[in-house]
Amino acid sequence: MKRLITLACMMLAIVTIYAQNKVVESSAKKVPAWLGTAVEGKLVVSVTAPTLAQAQVKAMNEVTERIILSVASNVSVTQRNVASETVTNDGVESRDEYNRIAKMKSANLPFLKGISQAKVEEVYWRRMRDKQTKKEFYEYSVLYPYSRAEQRTLQSQFEKIDAEKVAQYQALEDGIDDIADVADIKAAITQLAALKEYFFDDVRVKQAEGLMLRYRQLYDALAITGRFTNDNTYLVQVLLKGKPVRVAKVPTVKSNCAGQISVEPQDGAFLISFDATDCLPEEENFLDIQLRIENKKLQQRAIIGVDADATINIAQAVVPEGKIILTANAVNKQDRTLTDINIRMTLNNRQGITFGLKSIELEVPELTAPLVFDDIDAIFGSKGIIQVKALAEGTMKARTTKKSRFAFVKGTITVVNPTTNGVERIKVSLPYTTNWEE
């Protein structure tokens, strides 16, 4: 309906133009019968331009846009918002529609390559002169073959291509939690960049951008863990969210005492061999292991002389310290409700052990219910002080009793030991401050 209204407006504009313009030259003495009419199985396109060459290009662009619109507005597409209109007080605004056409023209769709000047059946042009300004321009019209059968064929091709792109995106979205090789992260980002260029609707562009960001964030979830297999070998494994992943790049290893260091890939991990003859027992002897993946630097210090059969106890090596800081995003003092409470607490990783932080559960004396921070899924491996931040969403009730000077937050932190894949719990008993104290 919009196209018919637009055509009628164009014809009215042409009649007005004729009244103030003079025909200087034309490609034929008689105006073709198809001009200004709807011809079955054909497209009739008319444009104006300063030169004949510009008019020819403009006409073919219009033909392309008309074909794209006929395909895109009639297909049944699995995603959202392929065709959208903005309703305003003055009617329907088609800016989104033509933005989509421009994006589709750059989407490298195979059926667009078949649109050619060579297929034009008839051309009619006139060189016009404005009676007042004496400026000249060209009216250029083409008759282009485009049957309903061809339209259905192009729609079928378009649906197939689009479904393949949607399936590719879905596979990348489904596979983000099953990465087996770090190289798969970069490969996924590359594929998503190509999908973003193809997608011609804003919804899917934003989805592709969001998934690209999630894949990039996986680099921040990488960590190194390892264990001594005997006095002269150390097995290193790269972890992604606590799960082993393969890495093609070999880590670099240095030591303050060990010599003859070599690194060999072994079933997705790396076996470090060394000679510890010059490592004195009264000193701290270590291997410094570093691996750079994209812009992420992974490192670990393995202390030489640790019993290879000893099981690392994270609950003993990682100690909560300092003061817990609790901050509510909204405080209603009348009914004593608190909304979305943020926590900041300090852990001291005394031995630099790699561990995964799963969840935190805290009993705050002033709150009627415990604070539970689930699915944190953070990996830590640096030695020393670690700042942990988390958010407990929702509304909670505060007690009417005031905080005691000797009140402590008590609870547990659940961690995963990457060496044993076992779950350990660290007890918490620390002083605290809040932003809702009176």
Side-chain angles (χ1 to χ4, degrees):
M1 183 62 182
K2 279 177 55 186
R3 181 61 67 183
L4 293 175
I5 294 173
T6 303
L7 184 60
C9 292
M10 287 175 59
M11 294 303 299
L12 180 61
I14 290 172
V15 171
T16 305
I17 290 172
Y18 287 165
Q20 64 187 32
N21 294 297
K22 176 184 178 182
V23 178
V24 178
E25 183 185 6
S26 63
S27 60
K29 291 183 178 181
K30 290 184 62 177
V31 176
W34 50 264
L35 186 61
T37 63
V39 183
E40 181 68 25
K42 315 286 182 182
L43 290 178
V44 177
V45 171
S46 298
V47 299
T48 60
T51 68
L52 197 59
Q54 290 176 328
Q56 185 181 62
V57 173
K58 192 174 180 181
M60 290 310 300
N61 282 338
E62 176 68 15
V63 168
T64 302
E65 291 178 3
R66 293 268 294 275
I67 292 176
I68 288 175
L69 187 60
S70 72
V71 172
S73 62
N74 289 285
V75 294
S76 176
V77 192
T78 54
Q79 71 284 347
R80 279 79 58 197
N81 200 34
V82 169
S84 63
E85 294 177 340
T86 302
V87 179
T88 66
N89 292 334
D90 298 325
V92 178
E93 184 178 300
S94 59
R95 186 189 307 116
D96 289 350
E97 180 177 280
Y98 286 97
N99 285 343
R100 188 175 68 258
I101 285 174
K103 290 180 181 179
M104 289 184 69
K105 287 173 71 174
S106 63
N108 195 27
L109 297 172
F111 71 80
L112 297 183
K113 298 177 182 178
I115 302 173
S116 168
Q117 176 71 33
K119 290 185 177 181
V120 174
E121 290 187 356
E122 291 188 44
V123 174
Y124 178 74
W125 57 263
R126 293 194 292 193
R127 183 159 57 94
M128 309 293 290
R129 181 180 296 151
D130 189 296
K131 293 179 181 178
Q132 295 180 351
T133 65
K134 307 303 181 181
K135 289 184 178 181
E136 294 187 352
F137 62 93
Y138 283 86
E139 291 178 352
Y140 191 89
S141 302
V142 298
L143 182 67
Y144 194 90
Y146 187 55
S147 66
R148 292 189 180 275
E150 186 177 2
Q151 180 184 11
R152 287 192 291 268
T153 299
L154 296 185
Q155 288 174 6
S156 177
Q157 293 176 5
F158 176 79
E159 287 181 325
K160 181 180 178 181
I161 294 167
D162 203 77
E164 289 172 353
K165 299 297 184 182
V166 171
Q168 186 180 358
Y169 172 85
Q170 192 62 52
L172 291 170
E173 186 178 45
D174 294 341
I176 193 169
D177 294 323
D178 297 312
I179 300 294
D181 194 313
V182 172
D184 294 340
I185 300 176
K186 187 174 183 178
I189 293 172
T190 301
Q191 292 179 59
L192 285 165
L195 287 174
K196 179 186 170 184
E197 290 300 314
Y198 163 80
F199 289 146
F200 41 83
D201 56 290
D202 292 337
V203 171
R204 293 189 299 178
V205 168
K206 290 178 181 178
Q207 288 176 339
E209 289 174 343
L211 191 55
M212 285 174 68
L213 177 61
R214 289 175 59 194
Y215 267 98
R216 290 193 184 101
Q217 290 172 339
L218 290 180
Y219 288 118
D220 295 327
L222 292 171
I224 290 180
T225 187
R227 61 184 178 87
F228 288 95
T229 56
N230 58 49
D231 293 340
N232 297 298
T233 57
Y234 186 77
L235 188 65
V236 172
Q237 177 70 64
V238 176
L239 302 177
L240 176 59
K241 293 185 177 181
K243 297 179 181 179
V245 288
R246 292 188 298 274
V247 179
K249 192 172 182 180
V250 176
T252 59
V253 183
K254 297 179 180 179
S255 174
N256 66 330
C257 64
Q260 300 181 25
I261 300 173
S262 65
V263 183
E264 296 293 335
Q266 188 178 88
D267 298 329
F270 298 96
L271 185 65
I272 301 172
S273 301
F274 58 92
D275 182 359
T277 303
D278 295 333
C279 297
L280 303 177
E282 64 270 16
E283 296 180 355
E284 184 180 67
N285 307 304
F286 55 82
L287 299 171
D288 271 341
I289 306 161
Q290 291 189 4
L291 180 63
R292 183 172 290 278
I293 302 175
E294 295 301 315
N295 294 323
K296 176 70 174 180
K297 184 179 180 181
L298 307 178
Q299 54 188 358
Q300 185 193 44
R301 172 166 289 187
I303 306 302
I304 298 174
V306 176
D307 185 357
D309 295 326
T311 300
I312 299 173
N313 190 326
I314 295 178
Q316 294 177 0
V318 180
V319 180
E321 293 183 351
K323 184 178 289 187
I324 295 177
I325 300 174
L326 300 169
T327 306
N329 289 345
V331 179
N332 189 324
K333 293 186 177 181
Q334 292 184 345
D335 60 5
R336 300 192 62 80
T337 56
L338 311 169
T339 304
D340 296 344
I341 299 179
N342 294 274
I343 176 180
R344 188 168 81 238
M345 64 185 303
T346 302
L347 302 178
N348 189 350
N349 188 0
R350 295 176 175 176
Q351 297 182 22
I353 295 172
T354 300
F355 66 94
L357 177 57
K358 295 292 290 181
S359 62
I360 302 173
E361 185 170 342
L362 302 175
E363 294 280 353
V364 182
E366 294 177 56
L367 298 180
T368 59
L371 289 177
V372 179
F373 306 86
D374 284 325
D375 302 323
I376 298 176
D377 292 330
I379 303 293
F380 299 100
S382 59
K383 186 176 182 179
I385 300 301
I386 298 170
Q387 291 290 334
V388 176
K389 298 179 182 179
L391 170 66
E393 298 180 320
T395 302
M396 302 173 194
K397 191 78 173 179
R399 299 182 191 275
T400 54
T401 56
K402 293 186 178 181
K403 173 185 172 183
S404 168
R405 290 177 54 192
F406 305 102
F408 279 73
V409 168
K410 298 182 181 295
T412 58
I413 298 174
T414 303
V415 297
V416 176
N417 189 326
T419 303
T420 64
N421 288 323
V423 176
E424 300 181 24
R425 288 177 175 79
I426 302 172
K427 291 186 178 181
V428 177
S429 182
L430 293 174
Y432 68 101
T433 61
T434 73
N435 70 333
W436 61 81
E437 297 174 0
E438 295 181 359

